[in-house]
Amino acid sequence: MKTHSIILFSIFIAFSSCVSKKKLHNEQKRVKDLQTDSIGTHTRLNNCNLSVADLEKEKAEMAKAMFNLSSSSQITIENSKLTIAEQAKRLQDLQMLIQSQKNILNKLKKTVADALINFKPDELSVELKDGRLYVSLQEKLLFKSGSAVVDPKGKDALLKLASVLNATQDISVMIEGHTDNVPIKGKYEDNWSLSTARSTAIVRILIADSKVDPKTIIAAGRAEYYPVADNTTADGKSKNRRTEIILSPNLKELFKLLNQ
């Protein structure tokens, strides 16, 4: 009986020992699993922290870019405002300069018309056209047919005009000779020669007799190629036989403003 009891106790001890070892093994495995999970969790946490840091850096860079864009846009807007203001002033200056040129021409027209008031409308005319003042003198006032010698009455008109030119600053003078379309015979080779000779004859009177500045004068001959009337009628041909003295204000300041 005693022997039987000892055997049972030994079996119990052996069984208890097996159970303890199994439980220990299970606990050890659970601890190991927990350690593995902890390492994984820490790894994921570190990755999240790195992602957050990257996002914060990206956010800071975006904020900086937005600030730079805002500053650049503000500068662009300010520059645009300045450009618009400059353009507005330039336009205003241009309008004032153009109006000033118009005023000069209107005043000049009146002065020339007053100086030549004693001559008949069929002898000369004074008109504004294309921003210039045209003083058109007919052949019968200045020349005999086919001649480039200025008649005394025509010379009187030129001297009166010269007095206005000498009293006016910044005016250029273009003298254009014109003919009808009838071929010339005699001293001059053609209408080109006659129209040019007539314009240069007038230049000589203005320079030699009235001391008009020669640097302001241009002489040209246009023959029959710029008619103002029909060359098929006697009246039209008479109107085409003329000398035009074209007065233009100095446009240096206007061109300077336009080229800015």
Side-chain angles (χ1 to χ4, degrees), residues 75-94:
I75 292 172
T76 301
I77 291 171
E78 292 299 325
N79 289 339
S80 297
K81 289 180 180 178
L82 183 61
T83 301
I84 292 171
E86 289 174 343
Q87 290 176 346
K89 186 178 184 307
R90 184 183 175 195
L91 179 59
Q92 183 180 24
D93 292 343
L94 184 60

Side-chain angles (χ1 to χ4, degrees), residues 200-213:
T200 53
I202 291 174
V203 168
R204 292 188 188 98
I205 291 174
L206 295 178
I207 294 174
D209 296 352
S210 299
K211 309 302 179 184
V212 175
D213 186 356

Side-chain angles (χ1 to χ4, degrees), residues 56-257:
E56 289 293 338
K57 182 180 179 181
E58 185 177 348
K59 178 182 177 182
E61 290 176 350
M62 289 182 65
K64 182 178 179 181
M66 289 295 292
F67 176 78
N68 292 337
L69 179 61
S70 176
S71 299
S72 176
S73 299
Q74 187 64 30
I75 292 172
T76 301
I77 291 171
E78 292 299 325
N79 289 339
S80 297
K81 289 180 180 178
L82 183 61
T83 301
I84 292 171
E86 289 174 343
Q87 290 176 346
K89 186 178 184 307
R90 184 183 175 195
L91 179 59
Q92 183 180 24
D93 292 343
L94 184 60
Q95 290 173 336
M96 290 177 63
L97 189 55
I98 291 173
Q99 186 58 50
S100 175
Q101 299 294 343
K102 289 181 179 179
N103 293 340
I104 290 172
L105 282 173
N106 285 325
K107 182 179 178 180
L108 184 60
K109 178 184 178 182
K110 184 179 185 309
T111 304
V112 170
D114 289 344
L116 301 175
I117 195 170
N118 292 328
F119 296 92
K120 299 176 182 178
D122 63 343
E123 293 176 329
L124 62 82
S125 63
V126 181
E127 66 173 329
L128 285 172
K129 184 170 60 176
D130 301 328
R132 298 185 288 180
L133 181 64
Y134 284 72
V135 182
S136 184
L137 302 99
Q138 296 305 126
E139 180 189 57
K140 64 181 179 180
L141 175 63
L142 295 174
F143 308 103
K144 291 182 174 58
S145 180
S147 172
V149 178
V150 180
D151 290 342
K153 188 176 182 180
K155 185 174 181 179
D156 181 46
L158 293 174
L159 294 178
K160 286 181 169 59
L161 177 59
S163 66
V164 176
L165 298 179
N166 285 330
T168 307
Q169 296 181 346
D170 295 329
I171 293 292
S172 63
V173 183
M174 169 76 81
I175 301 173
E176 290 183 351
H178 298 266
T179 69
D180 58 24
N181 63 347
V182 178
I184 190 73
K185 294 179 181 179
K187 179 179 178 180
Y188 297 99
E189 181 180 356
D190 51 28
N191 284 329
W192 284 110
S193 299
L194 176 60
S195 63
T196 303
R198 286 180 169 180
S199 65
T200 53
I202 291 174
V203 168
R204 292 188 188 98
I205 291 174
L206 295 178
I207 294 174
D209 296 352
S210 299
K211 309 302 179 184
V212 175
D213 186 356
K215 294 190 294 293
T216 66
I217 300 178
I218 301 172
R222 295 211 169 199
E224 69 264 29
Y225 297 103
Y226 282 81
V228 293
D230 189 354
N231 268 316
T232 62
T233 66
D235 182 62
K237 289 178 181 178
S238 176
K239 291 178 180 177
N240 290 331
R241 295 191 297 270
R242 71 202 189 277
T243 301
E244 291 183 336
I245 301 178
I246 306 168
L247 310 180
S248 303
N250 189 335
L251 301 178
K252 183 186 297 184
E253 291 301 318
L254 180 60
F255 288 132
K256 181 180 177 181
L257 186 60

